[in-house]
Amino acid sequence: MSENGKFLPWRAGAAPVALIVALAGGSALAQAQDDASQPVDNVIIVTGSHIARPELDVANPIVAVTAAQIEQTGRTNIVDILLRNPALTASTGSSLAGGADAAFGETGVNLLNLRNLGTQRTLVLVNGKRHVAGIANSAAVDINSIPQDLIERVDVLTGGASAIYGADGVSGVVNFVLKRNFEGLAARAQSGISSKGDAANRYFSITAGRNFADGRGNFAVSYEYNKADRLSSFARDFTGNPARYRQILQNQDDLNDDPNVPDRIPYANLTWADSSPDGAVDVDFDEIPDFTGSGLPYDRGLVLEGSNGRAVGGSNTPVAGYYGDLQPSTRRHVVNALTSYEFSPALRFYAEGKYAATRAYSVSQPSFDFFTYLQPDNAYLIDRFGAGTAPYGALVTRDNFDFGIRGETVKRETKRIVLGFDGEISDHLRYDISYVYGETKVRYRQTANLIGDRYFAALDAVRDPATGNIVCRSTLEYDGVIDPINFDGPATTFTPGTGSACRPLNILGNGVADPAALAFVLADNLSRSKISQEVVSGSVSGDLDSAFTFPGGGSFGFALGGEYRREKSRDTPDLLIQNGDFRDFEAVAPSSGRFSVKEFFAEVNAPILSHMRLAELLSLSGAVRFSDYTTIGKTTTWKLDGIYAPIPDIRFRGSYSQAVRAPNIGELFQPVSGTFSFVDDPCDVRRLNEGTQYRQANCTTILSGLGLSPSQIAGFSPAGITNLRGLASGNPNLTEETAKTWTAGVVLQPRFIRGLTLSFDWYDIKIKNAVRTPSVTELAGLCVDQPTIDNVFCQNIFRGSDGEVLGSNVGEVGFRVQPANVAAIRTAGADFTITYNFTPGDFGSFNIALVGGYLAKKTEIATPGADLDNDILEGPGLGDGFNPRWRGTLDLTWKLKGLTANYSFNYFSKTRRYTTEQLAANPDLVDPQYVWYKSLKQHDARLAYDVGEKFQFYVGVNNFTDQKPDLGELSYPISGVGRFWYAGVKLNSGKLF
C-alpha cells in the first residue's frame, strides 16, 4: 500500500462519508503537481459532498493548501501558514495570540476566520468531521491541536457547507485532510531564529506505521513537538524605543481646526500623561502632578489634548513597549494514532486517537493607579515630602511596573477519538457509521493582580504611636471599612486588627515596595474550563447504476444520513474573580451551557450528460439538511449547484445555498458578569463629525435630556482615559443566523497548453439576523449613529447627569454588552488561481502557482433601518478585522534532480486608518500619506537538497526584505518578528521491518 514511507489515500471503492481524502475540482494549488494524464474517472469523496464522484465534478469552489506547500513556507504555526490564503487573512495567528491582543484565557490560541465574517462563522473539520472547540462558550477550534506534518492538505470551501456538515459554516468550511495508511518511518527536525537573534522556533515530528494482514490493516502513530520563544515589544525599536515608536494623534497646532492644517499628525517620544512608574503625585488636587514619587518636581512634558491621555516626553511612563508581547511563547506536544482493519469489503473498522497539550505564556501590561488617594497622615507621604507639603493628602497616578507586569499562562489539553465502521453493502451502495468524542480542558493562570481590600489596606499606612513603626491603619483600628475614599468596603480576604497579615505598601518611588507587602497585595488567579463534544453519525451513499445511467454513462449518486451532536461548555473563574476580590476585575460568575441537535440530511448528484458533443459534462446536484436544536428549534439548510463543461478544456460551475448558524453556548447562556472597558465617547465634540448624519442630533437629544445646557453640549469633551465598569452577558432569546450564498465560476485546463490550470470564482454571501456583540465604544457609537435613539444599543449605555458614561466609581454600571440578532452582513468578491507546470528540456521542472482574491463588498447594517456601513478597505481597529481589496500569494518552484528552490511572495493591498465617515467629515483629518496603512509585501525563499532517497536538507528565510509593521502598529501589516532564518532535515524511510 505504500513505498518508501509515502502516505496513500483510502481505496476509492470503500471510500465512506467520513473519509474525506481527495481534493475537489478547480483547486489550482492542489493540482500544482498533478499529472494531466490522471484518469478523470477516479471516483473519490471530496470536501463539500457525501457522494463519491470524480474530483473535478464539484461545483463549489475549493482552494487547497497541500502538504508540500505547508512545508515550503518554513513556518511551524498552521494559522500563520493559512494566513497566506486570501480567504483567511483575518485569522488569528501567532502575532495576535499574546500581549494586549489576546483575550482573557486565550493566550496562544490560533483561530481561523474565513472571509472575515468571524471565527464563530467558520466551520473547522478534520477528515470531514467536526472538531471540539478550544475556547469555552464558543465553537472556535484551536488550530494548535492539529498536527502539521500529518496534514495531507487543507481545503477551503465557500458556500453550501451547512447542508453537508450542519450549522456554523455560514462563511464556508476549512477541512484538514490528514494522511492515511502510512507505512515506514518519517521524521523532520527544524530550527529557526530571527535576524535579531530572538524569537527562536524549534520543531520535531516523527511518524511510524506498518501494514499487516496482507495489507488489510494498518497502524500508524505520530508525535509532534514545537516550541516558539516569546518576543517582547521592547525587543524591537519600532515598538519599544520611544524615539522610534510613533502614533498619529491630535495636532496641537490645530486645536481650532484650520481646514488647511491636518487635524492629526505623528508624534514620537510618547508617554502616558501625568502617570509615572515611580508615581505622579498631586498634592493640591488640581489634577496636575506636582512631584514624582521620588520627590522631584514633575515634568508633564507636552500634554496632547484630545489624544486619550497621551503626552510627549516628561516624567511620564513611555507608551513604547507598554502593550506587551509581539509574540507569546508556546510549547506544543501532539500525539496521534490511526488504525484500520478490513474484515471484508462489507466491513472495515477505523479509529483515530489524538492527545494535544499546549502551553502558552505572554505578558501584557502592568497594573496602574489613577488618582489613588493617600491620606494626609500616610507615613510614606510624610517621609517623602514632609509634614506640611500635603496637608490634605495626595492623589497618585502610577504605572506599577515594579509590582510585576501582568502575565498569563494557559495550559490546554485536547483529546479526541473517532471510531467507525464502513463498507460495501453492494457494488452500488456503501455505508458509514461513526462516533466522535472530543474534549478540551483549559487551565489559565494570570499573574501580578492586585487584591482590592488588601491593596488599599496596605496603602493606608501610618506610624504605630507605640512603636514608631509603619503599619497598616487597619492593624491599629478597624471600623468595618477599609479606606473609605478608595475602597469603602469591608475586608473580605484577610482579618484586620492586631496580628493582621497586612503589610504597609510604599508606592512613592520606583522599586521601593517591601517584598512582604507585595506578597500580601498580589495574587495569581487560576481559572478552568472544559468543553466537550459528542457526534454520532450514520449514512449510506451510492448510485443507481444497477437501474439506469445517464447518457454518456454518468451515475446518479445519492447520500442519506442522520447525525446527533451534543455540545457542553463550562468555565469556572478563580474564586477571587468570582467574588470580585481583585481590584481590576469586576465579579465574573461561572458559566455553563449545553445543547444538542438531531439532524437528517440528503444529497443527490445527477450528471445528466457526459462525454458527448458540446456536453463533456452537464451535472446538477442538491442537498438538504433538517435540524432540530434544543435551543432554537428547527432549521433547514439546502444547496443547489451545477456544472457545465462543453469540452474537457473548460467547465462552468455555480451554486446557490442557504446556511444557518445557531448561537453558541456563550452567546446564549453567559451569565451577567462585571467587566471593564475604555470608552471613546461619540458625543465628544471632537468626534461628532466622525459618525453618521444622525450622530450630532442624537447626541444633542441625549445630553439635553440629561439637563446639559447648549453651551455645555457645545463644549462636551469627556476625559475618556479610565476603565469604566459595566456588565456583559449572553442572550437566551437569540435565534439562528441565516445566510444566502451564491457562487459562479469557470475552470480552464487547455489541452494545447499542457500543465496550465486557471480558475475564477465569484462569491456573494448575505447574512440576516446576524448575532452582533459590540465593543463598548461600538455600543456607544451605534447608539447615536442610528436614525433615532430608540434602538437596542441606546438601551445598554448609561450616562450620568454630567453626560459622561457611568462606571468610573464603585457601584456604577456604565454599559451592558450582550449579543442580539440585529445585523445584516454582506460580503462579495472573487477567488482566482493560476498554476502552470512545465519542463523545458534538461533544465528541470518549473511550477508557477498564483492564488488571489478580490474583495468587492464588505458591508454591515447594524440594526434594521440603519445606514449601511461600508467596511471595504478598512484597516485594523475600525471594526471587524481588516478588509484589503486585493490579496494573493505567488509561488515559484524549480526542481533539478535533487535540488529544489522556492520563492514565495505574499501580498495584500493597502487599507485605511480611518472610516469613510471620518474622512468625509474631516477632509483635513491627516496628511494624505497617513490615510493608508501600507500593503503587505512579504518575500520568502527556500532551498532544499535530497541526499539519496531518504534524506533531505533545507534552509530558508522568511521576510528576507525585513518588512516591518506600519507606524503605530505592533503586527500590521506584518508581524514584528522581522527577517527569520531556518534550517531543517527530513528522513523518509521504507518499511520498519
Side-chain angles (χ1 to χ4, degrees):
M1 297 180 68
S2 78
E3 297 293 337
N4 300 320
K6 301 293 184 183
F7 288 92
L8 299 178
W10 295 111
R11 295 189 304 123
V17 171
L19 305 177
I20 310 298
V21 297
L23 171 64
S27 168
L29 281 177
Q31 293 171 357
Q33 299 181 20
D34 287 352
D35 187 273
S37 63
Q38 183 177 350
V40 298
D41 59 349
N42 182 23
V43 177
I44 51 180
I45 299 292
V46 295
T47 297
S49 176
H50 292 304
I51 300 172
R53 64 179 78 183
E55 62 177 322
L56 291 179
D57 293 357
V58 176
N60 286 98
I62 297 176
V63 175
V65 181
T66 66
Q69 291 166 329
I70 290 172
E71 188 178 307
Q72 282 180 350
T73 67
R75 293 170 175 80
T76 57
N77 180 295
I78 294 296
V79 174
D80 287 349
I81 296 168
L82 294 179
L83 284 169
R84 295 158 44 89
N85 185 300
L88 292 167
T89 53
S91 300
T92 303
S94 58
S95 63
L96 295 178
D101 290 313
F104 183 69
E106 296 182 19
T107 296
V109 170
N110 293 159
L111 308 173
L112 294 177
N113 184 349
L114 184 57
R115 304 290 179 203
N116 198 16
L117 292 174
T119 59
Q120 73 275 25
R121 299 185 180 99
T122 302
L123 180 58
V124 175
L125 307 172
V126 176
N127 287 334
K129 297 184 182 295
R130 286 179 177 264
H131 192 284
V132 65
I135 301 174
N137 298 316
S138 81
V141 175
D142 180 16
I143 307 303
N144 281 323
S145 66
I146 298 175
Q148 176 172 322
D149 265 14
L150 209 56
I151 296 173
E152 181 70 34
R153 71 176 188 279
V154 184
D155 291 345
V156 182
L157 173 135
T158 299
S162 283
I164 303 300
Y165 301 114
D168 301 332
V170 294
S171 60
V173 163
V174 181
N175 184 25
F176 290 84
V177 182
L178 304 185
K179 297 170 181 175
R180 299 291 190 140
N181 280 17
F182 180 76
E183 186 171 34
L185 177 69
R188 182 163 74 99
Q190 177 179 306
S191 183
I193 196 167
S194 80
S195 59
K196 303 291 187 181
D198 51 21
N201 189 293
R202 279 80 61 186
Y203 177 86
F204 174 76
S205 72
I206 185 169
T207 303
R210 177 171 172 78
N211 294 327
F212 57 92
D214 298 324
R216 291 183 292 124
N218 177 267
F219 178 81
V221 62
S222 172
Y223 168 72
E224 187 167 296
Y225 169 80
N226 181 220
K227 187 178 188 303
D229 287 355
R230 171 179 159 255
L231 180 64
S232 168
S233 58
F234 287 106
R236 295 293 182 268
D237 278 351
F238 54 84
T239 55
N241 183 344
R244 293 281 309 278
Y245 179 70
R246 298 186 298 162
Q247 293 180 345
I248 300 174
L249 300 168
Q250 175 65 49
N251 185 353
Q252 300 304 292
D253 294 327
D254 187 44
L255 296 177
N256 294 323
D257 196 12
D258 182 338
N260 298 311
V261 177
D263 296 347
R264 303 180 188 181
I265 61 174
Y267 285 95
N269 197 24
L270 288 169
T271 56
W272 294 110
D274 300 336
S275 183
S276 176
D278 66 344
V281 185
D282 175 16
V283 297
D284 56 9
F285 297 91
D286 61 354
E287 299 186 356
I288 296 176
D290 302 294
F291 303 97
T292 68
S294 302
L296 300 175
Y298 199 88
D299 178 7
R300 299 185 74 200
L302 172 65
V303 177
L304 302 178
E305 293 186 32
S307 298
N308 289 333
R310 289 170 178 81
V312 173
S315 306
N316 309 310
T317 302
V319 174
Y322 195 86
Y323 297 107
D325 290 339
L326 299 177
Q327 174 179 289
S329 71
T330 57
R331 186 180 64 207
R332 183 167 59 96
H333 300 270
V334 185
V335 179
N336 276 261
L338 307 95
T339 189
S340 65
Y341 184 77
E342 185 180 273
F343 296 93
S344 72
L347 180 64
R348 185 178 68 91
F349 169 75
Y350 61 90
E352 302 173 19
K354 177 174 75 173
Y355 174 77
T358 62
R359 182 186 185 277
Y361 171 71
S362 184
V363 299
S364 55
Q365 60 189 51
S367 63
F368 57 88
D369 283 272
F370 186 76
F371 289 150
T372 296
Y373 178 67
L374 298 184
Q375 299 276 3
D377 59 348
N378 184 283
Y380 296 118
L381 183 65
I382 295 172
D383 285 355
R384 176 67 73 194
F385 298 107
T389 303
Y392 303 106
L395 299 175
V396 180
T397 301
R398 190 179 197 274
D399 295 288
N400 301 318
F401 281 96
D402 53 347
F403 291 6
I405 303 176
R406 289 179 290 193
E408 182 175 72
T409 299
V410 179
K411 296 180 179 180
R412 182 172 275 99
E413 290 185 327
T414 303
K415 302 172 185 176
R416 184 173 184 263
I417 60 169
V418 180
L419 303 173
F421 292 92
D422 63 43
E424 300 177 356
I425 299 173
S426 70
D427 290 341
H428 303 284
L429 192 63
R430 294 170 291 279
Y431 72 92
D432 180 272
I433 301 172
S434 66
Y435 170 76
V436 180
Y437 177 78
E439 176 184 284
T440 301
K441 290 183 177 180
V442 186
R443 291 162 51 93
Y444 45 105
R445 181 186 299 274
Q446 291 191 320
T447 60
N449 285 303
L450 294 167
I451 304 172
D453 62 337
R454 294 187 177 208
Y455 181 64
F456 291 113
L459 282 184
D460 193 8
V462 297
R463 287 200 180 272
D464 184 345
T467 65
N469 296 327
I470 299 177
V471 298
C472 302
R473 188 190 305 272
S474 62
T475 302
L476 300 178
E477 54 186 58
Y478 176 64
D479 60 0
V481 175
I482 295 293
D483 192 340
I485 303 297
N486 293 309
F487 188 72
D488 195 27
T492 57
T493 68
F494 75 103
T495 303
T498 304
S500 169
C502 183
R503 294 294 180 268
L505 178 65
N506 185 8
I507 61 172
L508 298 176
N510 195 354
V512 297
D514 181 358
L518 290 179
F520 175 70
V521 302
L522 293 171
D524 296 349
N525 64 76
L526 179 63
S527 302
R528 294 176 171 84
S529 62
K530 180 181 178 181
I531 312 104
S532 65
Q533 178 190 74
E534 290 182 276
V535 184
V536 179
S537 60
S539 65
V540 294
S541 63
D543 58 59
L544 299 181
D545 283 4
S546 60
F548 75 95
T549 59
F550 290 104
S555 300
F556 182 90
F558 66 90
L560 301 170
E563 185 170 285
Y564 173 79
R565 176 164 55 97
R566 180 168 59 189
E567 307 262 4
K568 299 179 183 178
S569 179
R570 182 178 71 245
D571 185 52
T572 308
D574 189 280
L575 281 175
L576 289 171
I577 297 177
Q578 292 185 44
N579 296 333
D581 291 326
F582 283 119
R583 189 200 68 170
D584 299 329
F585 289 85
E586 287 290 278
V588 177
S591 64
S592 65
R594 65 177 64 191
F595 72 87
S596 62
V597 56
K598 301 172 184 176
E599 301 182 288
F600 170 78
F601 58 85
E603 182 184 0
V604 295
N605 176 49
I608 299 170
L609 301 175
S610 58
H611 308 303
M612 300 178 69
R613 181 177 175 81
L614 297 181
E616 177 63 24
L617 177 65
L618 175 61
S619 176
L620 298 175
S621 297
V624 64
R625 193 177 190 100
F626 303 101
S627 306
D628 188 0
Y629 289 82
T630 55
T631 51
I632 60 170
K634 295 179 170 60
T635 66
T636 301
T637 59
W638 48 265
K639 77 161 186 170
L640 299 170
D641 59 54
I643 299 173
Y644 174 56
I647 57 176
D649 308 59
I650 182 171
R651 59 182 60 202
F652 302 95
R653 59 191 183 187
S655 68
Y656 185 60
S657 63
Q658 174 175 288
V660 300
R661 184 182 79 88
N664 61 42
I665 289 173
E667 290 169 331
L668 288 168
F669 304 119
Q670 184 77 33
V672 177
S673 295
T675 186
F676 283 94
S677 179
F678 288 98
V679 181
D680 292 330
D681 198 320
C683 293
D684 187 309
V685 292
R686 296 184 299 265
R687 299 189 181 93
L688 284 177
N689 291 331
E690 297 179 0
T692 66
Q693 58 184 312
Y694 310 111
R695 177 175 289 192
Q696 186 162 356
N698 284 336
C699 284
T700 299
T701 300
I702 291 172
L703 296 177
S704 62
L706 293 170
L708 273 69
S709 67
S711 61
Q712 289 175 314
I713 294 173
F716 185 71
S717 184
I721 59 174
T722 58
N723 258 336
L724 301 181
R725 294 172 173 83
L727 300 174
S729 70
N731 182 354
N733 298 316
L734 293 175
T735 61
E736 72 274 12
E737 299 177 345
T738 303
K740 294 287 181 65
T741 302
W742 64 266
T743 66
V746 60
V747 181
L748 300 174
Q749 292 181 305
R751 285 168 289 180
F752 56 88
I753 308 179
R754 182 181 176 86
L756 177 65
T757 300
L758 304 95
S759 71
F760 177 90
D761 290 278
W762 189 268
Y763 63 88
D764 191 304
I765 304 172
K766 298 178 183 179
I767 306 174
K768 68 177 183 179
N769 291 327
V771 176
R772 200 182 200 290
T773 307
S775 70
V776 182
T777 292
E778 285 180 319
L779 180 71
L782 289 167
C783 163
V784 295
D785 284 342
Q786 310 304 303
T788 73
I789 60 173
D790 184 17
N791 61 67
V792 66
F793 304 111
C794 285
Q795 296 168 13
N796 290 291
I797 195 87
F798 313 115
R799 296 177 181 269
S801 59
D802 60 357
E804 296 193 22
V805 178
L806 296 171
S808 59
N809 298 315
V810 175
E812 291 182 350
V813 174
F815 57 86
R816 176 169 179 167
V817 290
Q818 65 176 165
N821 290 102
V822 293
I825 301 171
R826 184 178 182 184
T827 186
D831 294 325
F832 52 90
T833 62
I834 302 172
T835 60
Y836 184 41
N837 304 289
F838 59 97
T839 306
D842 297 329
F843 296 98
S845 63
F846 293 83
N847 170 248
I848 303 172
L850 171 67
V851 180
Y854 171 77
L855 184 63
K857 188 184 295 290
K858 181 68 165 60
T859 62
E860 179 177 4
I861 300 175
T863 58
D867 279 0
L868 183 75
D869 181 19
N870 186 359
D871 295 330
I872 196 75
L873 299 180
E874 289 189 351
L878 298 181
D880 298 323
F882 55 97
N883 299 290
R885 178 81 73 182
W886 294 95
R887 323 173 201 211
T889 300
L890 173 67
D891 279 291
L892 306 176
T893 304
W894 171 59
K895 293 184 177 182
L896 179 63
K897 298 181 179 178
L899 181 67
T900 302
N902 174 263
Y903 163 76
S904 178
F905 176 61
N906 190 22
Y907 171 84
F908 60 70
S909 57
K910 62 184 182 180
T911 54
R912 289 193 307 269
R913 294 179 187 272
Y914 306 101
T915 65
T916 53
E917 293 84 1
Q918 287 175 303
L919 294 170
N922 296 289
D924 63 333
L925 186 64
V926 292
D927 187 287
Q929 66 176 311
Y930 300 122
V931 169
W932 300 92
Y933 287 107
K934 62 186 178 183
S935 59
L936 171 69
K937 297 178 181 177
Q938 180 173 329
H939 304 264
D940 304 334
R942 183 178 185 269
L943 190 67
Y945 187 73
D946 296 331
V947 180
E949 296 183 354
K950 294 184 177 181
F951 291 95
Q952 181 186 82
F953 296 90
Y954 60 88
V955 295
V957 56
N958 292 331
N959 188 19
F960 63 72
T961 61
D962 200 22
Q963 183 180 9
K964 296 176 175 59
D966 208 346
L967 186 155
E969 294 297 316
L970 306 184
S971 57
Y972 186 86
I974 197 168
S975 89
V977 172
R979 185 184 296 114
F980 188 86
W981 296 92
Y982 63 90
V985 60
K986 288 176 59 180
L987 166 68
N988 197 356
S989 74
K991 295 182 178 180
L992 290 175
F993 47 84

